[in-house]
Amino acid sequence: MRHTKLVLVVLVLAAVSFTGCLKNPVTGRIGPSWDIPLEVPLISGEITVQDWASDLLPEDFDPEQPLVLEFNESIQVDVTELGETAGLPLDGFSMEAELLEDEFEGDFGDIDVEIEIEVNLNMADFETDIEFTSISFAQGVLSLTFEGITPGSLEISSITIGDAELEGEDNTFIVDGITVERDAALKLQGTLTEIGFESVTMLAEFSNVKFDQLVFVVDEQELAADELGMEPVEFGIDFGDLAEVFEWISDMEALLIVEVDNPSGIPMDLGGLQLKITGQGGEDNFINFADAEVDVEGTVTTYTISPANIMEIFRSEPQTVALDGTFQVGSAEAVVIDPNTEITLSVSMTAETVFTIDYDQDFEDWILRTTEVAQQDELEKGLEFISKPALFAEVSNGLPVGVELWLDMSQDENDWNDAVSLDLGLISAAEVDDSGRAVKPRTGLLELPVNDEVQDFLKKGGFIRVRTKLATEGKSGTEQLVITPSDAVEYRIWAEVSVKVNQ
Amino acid sequence: MMGGIAVKSRQVLIFLLVLVSVVGMASAVQAANPGAVAIADGLEFGISVEAKTATNSFSYRHLGLLNKHWTDEQRMSVADSLAESGIILTAAADANVFVQYDNYRLSGGVMGEAEVTIPEKLGGLAFRGITLEQIEGGELNFDFSEIQGQGGAYAAGGLTAVFSVADFFELPLKDIQVGIAGRYLYGLAYGETDFNGTLEYIEEDGSARIISKDLDLTALYSRKGQGWAFDAGVFAQVNPKLAVDLSVENIGQMVWTDVSGRRYSRLGEWEVARFGFDTDTFEFDFDFADGEEIEEEELADQEDIIWKLPLKVRLGVEYEFDRQVTLRGNVRQTRYHSGTTDFGVGGEVEYRPVAFVPITVGADYSTHQQFAMDAGVGLRFDNFNLNLNAQNLQSLFLSSGKGMGVAFSMGLQF
């Protein structure tokens, strides 16, 4: 019997030791409790510089060489408008000459009938506002009117200008295809029904004209840029969240090339022009053609400028580029002008992303974005079955600059003074070679624990923003860095939660 | 957005328990070697109760964690104890009464048995959780067909006849008994599941997706069944110390009729859940399927379910070393309804520090269960016996074993 009791005691002790206490001391419930860790991938991807700058890359580029950003736009200027401004007779012109009676040749004996007359002149005898050497008409109408004689009493039926013979009626002649030299001989043939005048003033008016060519002296004059009739070139550059990166850069190599192809022959000097670059905020930055190196080849004049204010321009995110200032047209001597051409003005800005960062400067924070977060009504319920929620982001940084990041949480979108800030961590710059080019990415882990502060915020809702700042990582002085199109940032974001079991 | 998941943590535990409690018909309807039944001297009555449960996962060393909040190390220790071939949980209980007169025993009882199998990969999720590496490695795909469950309860009544045939043969044996038994089985309840389809947890475009393909769960049940089972065996007492027995048990089958059930299915590929993050709005994108498109179908007049009993052939030997020590061994082969065969061999030492307190230590190997150690303690009197037995699978040592089992039996006869 004593043994039976002993065995029973052993059995009871074994049962108690197997089951431990009657209740779980942590949960107060019967049975074990534990947390099941779950990692939930949320987003991942890779952004290369090439992807980001795809709209700005030249057609041909080497992804392993420094990134060259290129903005190209070109416009055409109608020579007609410029010509008119410069005094070209593109809408027609008139000439005037006085014909004395004794210059009329004919049989003046019988005044009762009309007599045939012939007048020999020289084009140089005509007075005109335009100073041309020759004009080649593609089309046009020459109308003659006479003053100092009874209208209709002098009818010119044939005109010979140089080698060209024109037949017409009612003193009107088609001038299509002829060339009028300023010193060409002019012979008028026709009929006259009235005599006894001393002189007749002949007005020759060329209308409905189109020219093949003018050999012309354009008066030297200064014109305002808007006389070119050039609409502002739309650049519409939007760097988005990355715009403020340019605040961190001290200097950058950039080149502005303005190419003017002027096959019209109108002499132009654009040295007084400026490019007015208007940024997203409406601010203007100017680039002076006067600072340019000028190269002329054929009809093409190239202005090459290294703008000193390139960083200001980039920071402004250029939206439009317009011509401003003045320019010179004209020449002392006659020039051959083809009014049927267009003047093409091409603006090309290239920026090579070899830049300098001064690590001694105070870097401003860069607000990546501000987002409203709705009140998370069900968070409380969700936290009943999960614990230790956290967000993680692993970033493999292939860029030669590093950043620190914070998450700010505020109830007021416009007041961040009392915001709760969480230090997310550091993304180190990639390892660079002597030229400042990234050669090996560095990986950083950012953690956003959904702690009590974050939970309180999520329960109320509000605004969050991601704030970043260039990470100096102990560097000082200036450092040259190079960005290449192949530089990439890989990232993946995941959530970690622990599912409570029996808690 | 965490809406739609209003599951409380306790429910998670309940879910896990439910998952492992899908009942299933297990290895053996109560059977024994009829040749080993002791011939009564006149009229005898008896009653017995037996219960046992076993799993090839977990371990006795984890019993101390039963009412604790686990550390990560403890949680992983539990996870590592899961059987790689799949978590198998079995439970069985029966209560029997018999009336025996000389060579004939009339017995009846009620029994229930259940077995559930869960693939280790799926069961391990509850302990190991999910890592990004698993997702990226494409490891999180689950074949539901690996989940199996059957279970049933039935009543049995039968007659056992045992005879001593030593007098008929001139063998150098102390005694030899031959026995046969027949049992009528009356089904009370039966259920089985047929689970098919796959579930995959993948990463796509940076977000996580849970994809199901051809989900098809059929649960069949019946409350009516009947069948027969026969056992035959020989028991030989070679000399006062050595005994040998050979038996063939569970020749027969049960037929479950009036089978009905319910089927839940959604064929094709569909998205169970998606987790993402919208970087433009800083919002989480959690989408859960609402389950409305899972077809639910009542199944009636299903085909009868024929369940062949696990046929077991066993050869055993027992040697009484001295007054306090008995050695036992057995070789056995069991052929299951599923067509699989389990070959096993085991040995046991029984030590009796006091004549009525047997303490046993044994080792067993079977192709299904691998290696197991067991130990038991009991009380054994002429009219009463009680045994408590514990089993530790796959290791000689409690600290490293995988799996455990406990069995309890009690008998009274007079």
Side-chain angles (χ1 to χ4, degrees):
Chain A
M1 193 63 193
R2 194 170 62 85
H3 291 295
T4 304
K5 285 181 180 175
L6 180 65
V7 170
L8 288 174
V9 168
V10 169
L11 287 175
V12 169
L13 286 176
V16 171
S17 64
F18 284 162
T19 55
C21 302
L22 293 178
K23 279 192 175 180
N24 185 322
V26 175
T27 63
R29 294 174 169 173
I30 294 174
S33 59
W34 68 95
D35 295 324
I36 306 173
L38 296 181
E39 293 180 343
V40 183
L42 298 174
I43 190 169
S44 66
E46 180 189 66
I47 299 175
T48 63
V49 170
Q50 184 175 332
D51 295 335
W52 171 71
S54 58
D55 294 340
L56 306 174
L57 288 168
E59 278 188 19
D60 296 316
F61 64 91
D62 183 344
E64 302 301 327
Q65 292 302 311
L67 170 73
V68 175
L69 302 178
E70 188 173 277
F71 314 93
N72 286 313
E73 283 296 338
S74 66
I75 56 159
Q76 278 73 43
V77 177
D78 186 356
V79 169
T80 307
E81 288 184 34
L82 177 62
E84 285 174 357
T85 306
L88 293 180
L90 301 177
D91 285 342
F93 62 95
S94 63
M95 307 174 74
E96 188 178 282
E98 186 176 16
L99 307 178
L100 300 175
E101 187 178 18
D102 56 3
E103 287 176 319
F104 285 78
E105 296 175 13
D107 183 2
F108 293 92
D110 186 0
I111 197 62
D112 292 334
V113 296
E114 64 179 18
I115 57 172
E116 293 186 353
I117 55 95
E118 182 177 300
V119 181
N120 288 290
L121 298 169
N122 192 291
M123 288 298 293
D125 297 334
F126 282 85
E127 291 179 6
T128 181
D129 293 336
I130 63 174
E131 193 174 344
F132 70 95
T133 303
S134 72
I135 297 175
S136 299
F137 291 93
Q139 69 173 48
V141 175
L142 170 61
S143 303
L144 301 178
T145 55
F146 300 95
E147 293 176 0
I149 194 169
T150 304
S153 58
L154 180 55
E155 291 289 338
I156 302 299
S157 58
S158 166
I159 298 177
T160 303
I161 305 173
D163 297 331
E165 292 184 6
L166 307 176
E167 302 290 336
E169 293 179 355
D170 299 331
N171 292 340
T172 301
F173 303 88
I174 303 298
V175 295
D176 296 3
I178 71 163
T179 297
V180 176
E181 302 287 343
R182 187 67 171 116
D183 57 356
L186 176 67
K187 184 169 75 177
L188 307 175
Q189 291 176 300
T191 58
L192 183 68
T193 57
E194 180 183 322
I195 59 172
F197 57 88
E198 288 185 2
S199 67
V200 173
T201 300
M202 182 175 76
L203 184 67
E205 187 167 349
F206 293 88
S207 62
N208 195 25
V209 292
K210 282 189 179 172
F211 300 104
D212 284 333
Q213 189 184 78
L214 298 98
V215 179
F216 203 83
V217 176
V218 180
D219 289 340
E220 290 180 307
Q221 53 196 301
E222 186 176 87
L223 298 175
D226 55 10
E227 297 287 0
L228 285 169
M230 175 183 153
E231 293 293 326
V233 175
E234 296 288 341
F235 268 21
I237 292 174
D238 183 359
F239 293 126
D241 294 334
L242 293 173
E244 295 194 36
V245 166
F246 290 99
E247 297 289 344
W248 298 345
I249 300 172
S250 307
D251 194 16
M252 195 169 171
E253 293 180 14
L255 213 58
L256 177 76
I257 298 172
V258 179
E259 225 174 55
V260 181
D261 184 5
N262 177 17
S264 72
I266 298 174
M268 298 174 69
D269 178 2
L270 304 183
L273 284 177
Q274 296 175 310
L275 280 181
K276 185 173 78 173
I277 301 164
T278 305
Q280 243 182 12
E283 67 276 32
D284 293 328
N285 285 288
F286 294 93
I287 296 174
N288 298 317
F289 281 38
D291 300 331
E293 285 182 18
V294 183
D295 180 54
V296 180
E297 192 170 325
T299 61
V300 177
T301 305
T302 304
Y303 299 84
T304 304
I305 310 164
S306 297
N309 54 349
I310 187 63
M311 291 316 303
E312 284 76 14
I313 291 171
F314 269 109
R315 286 166 191 154
S316 74
E317 295 180 84
Q319 298 302 297
T320 61
V321 177
L323 284 178
D324 204 36
T326 60
F327 65 102
Q328 302 280 338
V329 295
S331 63
E333 297 181 356
V335 290
V336 177
I337 296 170
D338 182 351
N340 301 309
T341 57
E342 285 182 327
I343 298 172
T344 303
L345 191 142
S346 304
V347 180
S348 165
M349 184 186 288
T350 58
E352 193 175 58
T353 51
V354 176
F355 53 86
T356 304
I357 287 184
D358 181 359
Y359 282 104
D360 292 334
Q361 67 174 304
D362 290 328
F363 295 105
E364 293 291 324
D365 287 352
W366 162 27
I367 307 302
L368 273 178
R369 65 176 67 192
T370 302
T371 308
E372 184 172 6
V373 176
Q375 188 176 354
Q376 307 288 307
D377 293 328
E378 299 189 0
L379 180 64
E380 194 79 53
K381 200 183 292 179
L383 291 172
E384 285 181 18
F385 72 97
I386 62 169
S387 63
K388 296 181 277 185
L391 278 178
F392 291 88
E394 186 181 76
V395 181
S396 173
N397 183 18
L399 294 171
V401 290
V403 291
E404 296 171 82
L405 291 117
W406 295 266
L407 181 78
D408 296 337
M409 297 173 289
S410 171
Q411 305 298 317
D412 185 344
E413 186 180 12
N414 301 311
D415 181 7
W416 295 89
N417 292 326
D418 298 325
V420 175
S421 286
L422 292 175
D423 186 350
L424 299 178
L426 166 72
I427 300 174
S428 296
E431 288 180 31
V432 297
D433 60 15
D434 292 340
S435 68
R437 185 177 153 193
V439 291
K440 187 178 178 186
R442 281 200 177 104
T443 300
L445 182 67
L446 307 178
E447 180 179 357
L448 171 60
V450 187
N451 55 24
D452 291 344
E453 284 181 319
V454 178
Q455 289 174 20
D456 288 344
F457 172 78
L458 292 174
K459 287 172 190 172
K460 294 174 188 167
F463 296 87
I464 61 170
R465 67 179 189 181
V466 176
R467 182 163 47 88
T468 186
K469 186 178 183 179
L470 186 80
T472 57
E473 298 184 81
K475 297 172 188 168
S476 61
T478 58
E479 188 172 304
Q480 176 182 288
L481 298 173
V482 177
I483 300 278
T484 67
S486 60
D487 289 349
V489 175
E490 286 183 60
Y491 61 93
R492 62 173 181 170
I493 300 173
W494 70 94
E496 281 189 18
V497 296
S498 293
V499 177
K500 296 176 183 175
V501 178
N502 194 31
Q503 295 178 53
Chain B
M1 274 176 47
M2 295 183 182
I5 312 177
V7 185
K8 294 181 179 176
S9 60
R10 189 172 181 80
Q11 289 172 299
V12 174
L13 179 65
I14 291 170
F15 170 76
L16 295 172
L17 293 175
V18 168
L19 197 62
V20 299
S21 63
V22 179
V23 289
M25 192 67 77
S27 57
V29 176
Q30 195 65 21
N33 181 358
V37 171
I39 297 171
D41 185 14
L43 188 63
E44 275 190 6
F45 299 92
I47 183 169
S48 66
V49 176
E50 184 174 345
K52 60 183 177 182
T53 182
T55 175
N56 62 349
S57 301
F58 310 108
S59 168
Y60 288 109
R61 67 182 181 277
H62 297 127
L63 290 176
L65 304 176
L66 274 179
N67 265 331
K68 284 186 177 172
H69 183 75
W70 299 348
T71 63
D72 287 345
E73 189 180 348
Q74 290 166 336
R75 175 174 55 80
M76 289 309 294
S77 168
V78 173
D80 291 341
S81 74
L82 302 181
E84 292 171 6
S85 57
I87 305 163
I88 299 172
L89 185 66
T90 61
D94 67 71
N96 280 280
V97 294
F98 71 83
V99 178
Q100 184 170 346
Y101 183 76
D102 290 346
N103 304 79
Y104 302 98
R105 173 180 285 191
L106 192 61
S107 60
V110 178
M111 299 125 204
E113 295 192 15
E115 179 180 303
V116 63
T117 303
I118 301 167
E120 190 271 345
K121 199 159 55 168
L122 186 60
L125 287 181
F127 305 102
R128 292 197 178 91
I130 293 173
T131 64
L132 294 177
E133 287 69 27
Q134 284 177 303
I135 301 169
E136 289 165 356
E139 299 172 27
L140 297 176
N141 45 42
F142 309 101
D143 186 348
F144 288 135
S145 65
E146 295 172 9
I147 300 174
Q148 294 170 358
Q150 281 181 316
Y154 49 90
L159 179 66
T160 301
V162 56
F163 302 98
S164 173
V165 294
D167 295 340
F168 296 96
F169 304 100
E170 293 182 357
L171 296 173
L173 302 175
K174 185 170 181 285
D175 191 14
I176 180 167
Q177 290 183 175
V178 176
I180 58 169
R183 298 188 303 284
Y184 171 71
L185 310 174
Y186 180 78
L188 302 173
Y190 174 82
E192 69 173 27
T193 59
D194 183 14
F195 212 166
N196 287 294
T198 60
L199 192 72
E200 198 172 7
Y201 185 26
I202 60 169
E203 181 182 8
E204 189 175 89
D205 299 331
S207 60
R209 297 178 70 205
I210 299 176
I211 307 284
S212 172
K213 193 182 287 183
D214 296 334
L215 178 72
D216 192 344
L217 169 62
T218 301
L220 297 175
Y221 45 87
S222 168
R223 291 185 177 172
K224 188 177 179 183
Q226 60 180 346
W228 288 92
F230 298 94
D231 313 316
V234 178
F235 173 83
Q237 188 70 49
V238 179
N239 59 44
K241 289 180 178 285
L242 179 65
V244 179
D245 72 295
L246 175 66
S247 60
V248 180
E249 302 165 14
N250 277 334
I251 306 167
Q253 66 181 32
M254 277 191 77
V255 179
W256 294 92
T257 56
D258 295 349
V259 178
S260 57
R262 190 175 287 266
R263 181 185 181 201
Y264 303 89
S265 65
R266 181 164 173 180
L267 302 181
E269 187 175 294
W270 56 289
E271 188 173 86
V272 179
R274 173 192 287 271
F275 313 103
F277 184 67
D278 190 329
T279 52
D280 290 333
T281 60
F282 266 57
E283 284 186 356
F284 294 102
D285 178 21
F286 289 176
D287 292 323
F288 293 91
D290 54 17
E292 286 180 359
E293 294 185 32
I294 293 178
E295 289 183 20
E296 189 176 342
E297 183 184 357
E298 287 284 351
L299 302 174
D301 300 328
Q302 296 295 295
E303 285 184 10
D304 294 346
I305 296 173
I306 298 173
W307 173 48
K308 289 184 180 173
L309 305 183
L311 178 65
K312 185 176 182 181
V313 178
R314 181 181 177 281
L315 173 64
V317 60
E318 180 178 292
Y319 180 73
E320 194 170 324
F321 190 76
D322 60 22
R323 276 185 62 248
Q324 290 184 299
V325 177
T326 300
L327 306 178
R328 297 190 185 92
N330 72 81
V331 180
R332 62 193 185 274
Q333 185 180 45
T334 308
R335 183 169 178 79
Y336 292 95
H337 175 63
S338 61
T340 59
T341 300
D342 183 26
F343 174 79
V345 57
E348 181 182 79
V349 178
E350 181 181 291
Y351 171 66
R352 295 176 294 278
V354 182
F356 56 87
V357 180
I359 297 171
T360 57
V361 176
D364 194 278
Y365 173 83
S366 82
T367 50
H368 275 189
Q369 206 174 42
Q370 303 295 310
F371 187 75
M373 288 290 292
D374 60 55
V377 62
L379 296 172
R380 188 184 299 151
F381 300 100
D382 288 343
N383 301 106
F384 173 77
N385 67 77
L386 180 148
N387 270 296
L388 184 66
N389 188 274
Q391 194 175 41
N392 183 45
L393 301 178
Q394 295 190 18
S395 174
L396 289 170
F397 307 102
L398 291 177
S399 59
S400 57
K402 278 187 178 181
M404 58 183 184
V406 289
F408 166 81
S409 65
M410 187 177 71
L412 181 66
Q413 63 186 67
F414 48 88

